[in-house]
Amino acid sequence: MADKQKSIGEIEFDLRRARVDADAKKIRKYQHKLEDKQEELAEAQQELARVQNEMSALRK
C-alpha cells in the first residue's frame, strides 16, 4: 500500500507542475492517472479491511 501512496504523491507532484505550466494536455493526463491510482488504493484498502475482518472473526 505504501507503494500506491508513493505513486499517488508522485502523480500529484506532476499534476501540480503541469498546472503551473498551464499544460492542459498534461493536466488531463495526470488527473486521469491520479484517479486511477486513487481507485486502486481504495480497492487495496477495502481488501485489507476485509482480510482483517476475516482474521478477527477466525480468532473468536
Side-chain angles (χ1 to χ4, degrees):
M1 217 161 327
D3 290 342
K4 291 186 186 304
Q5 291 171 328
K6 181 180 177 196
S7 178
I8 287 172
E10 292 169 353
I11 294 169
E12 287 173 333
F13 176 80
D14 291 337
L15 177 57
R16 283 192 300 273
R17 190 170 42 188
R19 285 181 174 151
V20 168
D21 294 342
D23 187 331
K25 184 177 178 181
K26 285 187 179 180
I27 291 170
R28 283 190 303 275
K29 172 186 168 182
Y30 290 124
Q31 283 178 329
H32 182 69
K33 285 178 89 171
L34 181 60
E35 290 168 3
D36 289 345
K37 293 296 181 182
Q38 287 173 330
E39 186 176 315
E40 288 176 17
L41 177 60
E43 289 171 3
Q45 289 171 330
Q46 289 173 352
E47 179 66 13
L48 177 60
R50 184 188 65 76
V51 169
Q52 286 175 331
N53 286 338
E54 286 178 7
M55 290 178 67
S56 178
L58 290 173
R59 290 185 184 137
K60 292 180 181 180

